[in-house]
Amino acid sequence: MAAQSRTQVGIIGAGPAGLLLARLLKVHGIDSVILEQRDRTYVEGRIRAGVLEQGMVALMEEAGVADRLHREGLVHDGVEIAVRGRPFRIDFRGLTGKAVVVYGQTEVTKDLITARLAGDGPIVWNADDVALHDVESARPLLSYHCEGERRELACDFIAGCDGFHGASRPSIPADKIAIYERVYPFGWLGILADVPPCSHELIYASHERGFALASMRSHTRSRYYVQCNLDDELDAWPDARVWDELKLRLGERAAAQITTGPSIEKSIAPLRSFVAAPMRHGRLFLAGDAAHIVPPTGAKGLNLAASDVHYLCRALVAHYRTGSDALLERYSDMALARVWKAERFSWWMTTMLHNLYDPTSFEAQMQLAELEYLAASQAAQTAMAENYVGLPY
Ligand code: RFL
Ligand code: PHB
């Protein structure tokens, strides 16, 4: 016999989506259990996103976990775009009145885990073989293995927050879900190093040798990316080669300011655009990377996970407070309306900035024209800025 327990919302995945949802539900008096396949050290160590929109910051405040974010987060009022070494600035504050906050996803995750474990409810680490049952009924169930035994968790609703490779989305019958996908023919090689950033704002660089991005985690920790081939091995990218490429691609002024040092993390990530619709099947609600992926060029992945969680939490609160399921019925449409706009923006940024085409092709000329238009037009800069700082929820 499997050990049995019960909760209101069963959450699969302790990434930002699952942790933020659990915390916000608790603020509204709703119980949840989080099932996470990895252990705490692994989850807290994953290096990923770094840029938070105002909306995400507001949700962290609502969740009561924004103190450290306000102390340590770096407010950025703009970014630089460098085209073949020549930079221009997009002034977010001047064009939209808004800014973004640079604060690592790793720190967001740690803050949410600390709050959760201070009494909100359990995170079951190392939950293996999580399976979803009876999601089309009023009594869905999660089964899993942990500490050598099979367990069952009965719940009112299931939140599938288990990322792109999780179990939630594949549990939905293929004829009930549509998939939209684009895979890009290159990757991003990322390095993290304990050196001061080369610029006080992020630099997105389009260059004949490929895209590059200068980002940061703090005044003493830098995060850099270079466009690479999908089949490149990490061995082909010793630190010295990464620094050399960054200096070439980011432009002379940034190159002169780069402090090099040993990488403390280095990895290659593929780039993908992906949407699964609808984001609901019966009592299963998908949120975050479980339902959609954006290429990282627009810094939107984590922020989309946050807006999904906002819509889902509000809908669940309405269900428990008023008995109305109207918002649950509209969850997928509301979330997807925002998701598609962020997909468009991320695809546009990616297509505009990467080395994609034969330099003699028409497409390569279109790319240059797009960048020159952006450099010169306040209307184009405003459109970019309002998307980058985040469209309203
Ligand atoms: P996550 O973070 O993948 O968390 C899912 C969790 O579910 C667990 N899990 C399972 N648990 C139980 N059973 C299963 N079968 C399970 N399968 C998986 C996993 O262990 C994990 O703990 O998804 P979530 O919560 O939806 O959050 C999404 C974000 O992590 C993601 O969108 C961002 O990191 C994307 N991203 C960026 N987003 C931004 O908003 N701004 C950025 O600057 C930014 N930069 C990036 C990025 C992603 C990157 N990579 C590596 C993909 C830069 C990079 C390089
Ligand atoms: C990061 O700091 O990891 C980062 C920043 C901006 C992006 C993507 C990643 O667009």
Side-chain angles (χ1 to χ4, degrees):
M1 261 288 278
Q4 293 236 359
S5 55
R6 154 149 210 99
T7 190
Q8 290 177 298
V9 183
I11 299 176
I12 316 176
L19 290 164
L20 184 61
L21 177 64
R23 179 76 199 119
L24 288 171
L25 288 174
K26 191 67 194 176
V27 168
H28 293 281
I30 299 168
D31 285 330
S32 63
V33 171
I34 303 178
L35 305 181
E36 165 59 50
Q37 77 176 358
R38 303 287 194 155
D39 63 28
R40 181 175 177 178
T41 312
Y42 181 91
V43 168
E44 289 188 342
R46 266 189 308 227
I47 312 289
R48 284 186 171 177
V51 178
L52 311 187
E53 298 171 351
Q54 284 307 310
M56 164 107 203
V57 173
L59 283 176
M60 292 288 280
E61 285 165 358
E62 190 184 329
V65 289
D67 287 355
R68 196 161 71 95
L69 162 59
H70 285 311
R71 269 198 320 274
E72 296 176 17
L74 307 174
V75 175
H76 281 209
D77 289 336
V79 288
E80 274 193 8
I81 313 266
V83 182
R84 310 221 166 149
R86 290 188 313 278
F88 61 92
R89 181 166 187 265
I90 309 284
D91 177 3
F92 298 155
R93 181 77 70 186
L95 293 165
T96 69
K98 294 185 188 142
V100 292
V101 177
V102 171
Y103 187 69
Q105 178 171 332
T106 318
E107 309 314 312
V108 170
T109 306
K110 282 184 199 156
D111 295 344
L112 286 165
I113 290 176
T114 305
R116 172 81 183 173
L117 297 181
D120 277 6
I123 303 175
V124 180
W125 304 107
N126 303 305
D128 275 331
D129 307 322
V130 173
L132 300 87
H133 309 272
D134 308 324
V135 297
E136 289 174 46
S137 80
R139 295 175 191 283
L141 185 89
L142 289 168
S143 66
Y144 59 101
H145 284 94
C146 192
E147 293 170 348
E149 64 172 7
R150 186 179 135 88
R151 300 184 192 171
E152 288 178 355
L153 177 67
C155 19
D156 299 336
F157 298 99
I158 296 173
C161 303
D162 47 355
F164 186 62
H165 300 287
S168 306
R169 192 185 63 254
S171 79
I172 300 176
D175 61 343
K176 295 278 193 286
I177 195 161
I179 303 293
Y180 305 87
E181 186 168 29
R182 157 144 325 173
V183 178
Y184 299 87
F186 47 77
W188 273 22
L189 176 117
I191 61 163
L192 193 66
D194 277 329
V195 293
C198 66
S199 156
H200 68 286
E201 289 180 344
L202 270 60
I203 306 173
Y204 288 83
S206 160
H207 194 275
E208 295 101 318
R209 300 183 69 86
F211 169 80
L213 169 59
S215 182
M216 65 193 74
R217 291 292 175 272
S218 69
H219 294 304
T220 55
R221 181 167 282 191
S222 300
R223 178 78 166 150
Y224 288 101
Y225 298 94
V226 287
Q227 176 182 352
C228 65
N229 293 325
L230 267 178
D231 54 3
D232 278 358
E233 303 278 347
L234 278 180
D235 289 350
W237 285 95
D239 289 357
R241 179 177 176 207
V242 181
W243 294 117
D244 286 347
E245 280 299 324
L246 284 165
K247 286 179 184 169
L248 288 170
R249 298 182 190 188
L250 289 169
E252 267 174 35
R253 207 197 54 216
Q257 298 298 320
I258 287 184
T259 310
T260 63
S263 61
I264 53 175
E265 196 262 355
K266 191 189 284 177
S267 52
I268 293 178
L271 272 73
R272 182 192 299 274
S273 297
F274 178 97
V275 178
M279 289 168 58
R280 172 198 185 166
H281 179 61
R283 291 204 160 213
L284 164 64
F285 294 83
L286 301 178
D289 280 14
H292 42 74
I293 296 287
V294 283
T297 328
K300 288 284 163 255
L302 172 61
N303 292 300
L304 279 183
S307 53
D308 289 354
V309 161
H310 162 77
Y311 296 123
L312 182 54
C313 178
R314 205 175 52 170
L316 289 167
V317 170
H319 168 89
Y320 285 109
R321 282 232 179 107
T322 68
S324 165
D325 285 351
L327 286 177
L328 282 173
E329 299 294 344
R330 287 171 55 205
Y331 165 69
S332 176
D333 287 346
M334 294 181 85
L336 282 170
R338 194 168 190 280
V339 165
W340 276 118
K341 293 185 194 96
E343 290 283 347
R344 186 205 67 83
F345 177 65
S346 306
W347 160 83
W348 173 76
M349 286 278 281
T350 304
T351 312
M352 175 175 68
L353 289 167
H354 287 78
N355 211 351
L356 265 171
Y357 306 112
D358 173 346
T360 63
S361 67
F362 177 80
E363 284 78 8
Q365 297 310 311
M366 290 297 97
Q367 245 181 345
L368 276 179
E370 180 91 49
L371 284 162
E372 279 174 20
Y373 177 56
L374 182 62
S377 158
Q378 180 168 317
Q381 293 187 3
T382 306
M384 179 190 158
E386 78 169 346
N387 280 278
Y388 197 97
V389 299
L391 295 175
Y393 284 14

